[in-house]
Amino acid sequence: MSGTTDHTEGYAWGPATGVGSMPGGDAREAAKTVTGSFEGFPYLAELPARGPGADMIGRTAGMLVEMYVHLEPSGWRFGDRPGRDTRRARSWLGEDLDALEEFTQGYTGPLKVQAVGPWTLAAGLELRGGEAALGDPGAVRDLAGSLAEGLRAHLAEVRRRVPGARVVLQLDEPSLTAVLRGQVRTASGYRTYRAVDRQVVEGTLRDVMGAADGPVVVHSCAPDVPFALLRRAGAAGVSFDFSLFTERDEEAIGEAVEGGTQLFAGIVPGTDTVLSDPAGSVMGVRTLWRRLGLNPGTLAESLVITPSCGLAGASPAYARAALAHCARAARSLADNPE
C-alpha cells in the first residue's frame, strides 16, 4: 500500500475532536457528551474506569483475530482460547458502539475510532513466559497481522452502524519512541528490550494501516514523536501533546504541514485545571505558524484541536469543559488565524 494519503485527497476533517478516553463508566452518557461537543468530528469514547478489558491494551486485544489474551497479575498475557476477559472486552466495545449508534442517527461526516497500534500493543502484551511480545520478532509479526484483521472487521462494523460516517482510524502509540530507543523494560525490570530497527517499525505500521480504507491518524502523548517516520508509514495525521513540542520538532512539523499531513494538536490539559480563554489556548500554535513562515490562512485547515491526551483521569465536569474548550478554540482559530 502506498500510504493512507490515497484516502485523504479533498478530505474534510472536523475542526476539533477528542483523543479517546473519558471518565466514568456510562457509555450512553459518554456518547451523548462527545457527540454534543463535536458535531463535526465525534469519536467512539473509551471508558477505562470500568476495569480490565475497558483499558487501552485489553480493549484492543479483544479485537484480535485468532489470538486471545487473559489477565495475569503482571498484565495481559496470550492464552490458547477466548476466556472471560476477552468476552468482557468485546462486550464493552459492543456497548460503546450501541451508544455511539444511538447518538449518531443520520450523521454524515468524519467519525474517529481508536485502537492501540502494533508497537505499543507488542510492548504491553506478554507471551506465555511472561516477557513482552516485543522481544520476539515472530510474535510481533503475528500480532500485527491479527490486529490488521481485527481492525478491518471493527471498521466495517462501525460503518454498518453509522453508514453516513467517513471513518478515521486512530492508532494509539504512546510506547513508540521507547520501542525505537530500546527503553521498554523486560519483565524483571533490570534490562530493556533491544531497540527495533526504524525500517521494521515503519513497515509494520504501514501493514497495519493498510487495514483501513480511510485515513489513519497516529496518536502519542509522549515526547519526541517521530513525525517523519509516521508520515513515511502512511499516516494521514499525527496527534500529539503540544505542550511537549520543542524547537527540534519544528522542522519535522513544517515538513508535515507542507506535505499535507493533518496535525491533531493537543492544547487542552487532560486532567483538571483552570482553563484559559480559548483564543489564548491556541496562541502557541499561531506563534509556531509564524516562526515556520507558514500561511496563517492554512492554520484552521491544517489543524484539528484536541485535548493533550485522553480524559480518563479527569473529573466528568472537567472532561465536558475540556471538550467544549477544544471546540471553542478551533472556532477562534478559524475566525482569527493571525
Side-chain angles (χ1 to χ4, degrees):
M1 176 177 156
S2 61
T4 42
T5 44
D6 298 350
H7 304 298
T8 59
E9 212 168 307
Y11 192 86
W13 303 87
T17 191
V19 171
S21 65
M22 292 284 285
D26 186 330
R28 289 186 75 257
E29 184 60 35
K32 184 179 175 186
T33 299
V34 164
T35 53
S37 303
F38 300 122
E39 292 176 2
F41 201 173
Y43 64 97
L44 179 63
E46 301 164 351
L47 301 169
R50 291 183 295 199
D55 61 297
M56 193 171 84
I57 297 290
R59 181 180 179 89
T60 299
M63 297 180 194
L64 297 174
V65 173
E66 293 181 0
M67 293 182 99
Y68 311 108
V69 298
H70 61 272
L71 200 56
E72 294 280 338
S74 54
W76 290 99
R77 184 173 294 183
F78 287 111
D80 295 323
R81 60 184 67 84
R84 182 184 61 197
D85 297 323
T86 298
R87 286 194 295 273
R88 185 166 49 205
R90 290 175 178 172
S91 169
W92 272 326
L93 179 59
E95 196 178 294
D96 295 337
L97 287 167
D98 288 345
L100 181 73
E101 183 179 2
E102 180 184 344
F103 287 99
T104 51
Q105 294 292 312
Y107 175 73
T108 57
L111 168 70
K112 185 166 69 70
V113 298
Q114 306 81 221
V116 177
W119 293 106
T120 298
L121 205 57
L125 286 175
E126 298 174 359
L127 301 174
R128 287 170 179 78
E131 289 296 342
L134 181 65
D136 181 336
V140 173
R141 278 193 299 274
D142 291 346
L143 178 59
S146 173
L147 175 62
E149 285 302 307
L151 288 174
R152 266 190 204 98
H154 177 52
L155 294 169
E157 174 70 3
V158 174
R159 284 194 300 272
R160 186 184 69 75
R161 287 169 174 266
V162 194
R166 298 194 305 278
V167 182
V168 177
L169 171 63
Q170 175 182 302
L171 292 177
D172 292 323
E173 282 284 15
S175 301
L176 186 59
T177 302
V179 166
L180 288 164
R181 292 183 175 173
Q183 294 171 336
V184 177
R185 294 203 168 277
T186 59
S188 68
Y190 296 121
R191 291 188 307 112
T192 56
Y193 295 102
R194 187 179 301 161
V196 181
D197 181 89
R198 294 181 83 84
Q199 285 184 306
V200 173
V201 169
E202 184 184 320
T204 302
L205 282 166
R206 186 180 297 114
D207 290 346
V208 172
M209 288 185 203
D213 57 2
V216 180
V217 175
V218 179
H219 167 74
S220 173
C221 41
D224 300 321
V225 175
F227 286 92
L229 182 151
L230 295 174
R231 290 178 59 224
R232 287 196 305 272
V238 180
S239 169
F240 63 103
D241 180 347
F242 193 78
S243 72
L244 299 177
F245 179 81
T246 65
E247 272 185 39
R248 66 174 177 268
D249 297 315
E250 283 191 8
E251 190 179 338
I253 287 269
E255 287 172 0
V257 172
E258 288 177 344
T261 303
Q262 195 74 10
L263 300 181
F264 285 61
I267 59 151
V268 179
T271 50
D272 291 39
T273 187
V274 177
L275 294 170
S276 69
D277 73 296
S281 297
V282 287
M283 195 66 77
V285 177
R286 289 195 179 98
T287 303
L288 171 65
W289 236 245
R290 277 199 297 274
R291 276 210 307 271
L292 292 173
L294 296 168
N295 174 5
T298 65
L299 243 179
E301 67 197 43
S302 301
L303 282 184
V304 176
I305 299 299
T306 73
S308 59
C309 217
L311 295 167
S315 67
Y318 177 79
R320 286 192 296 273
L323 298 188
H325 193 89
C326 287
R328 284 199 295 270
R331 258 200 309 280
S332 145
L333 212 51
D335 293 345
N336 182 22
E338 297 287 350

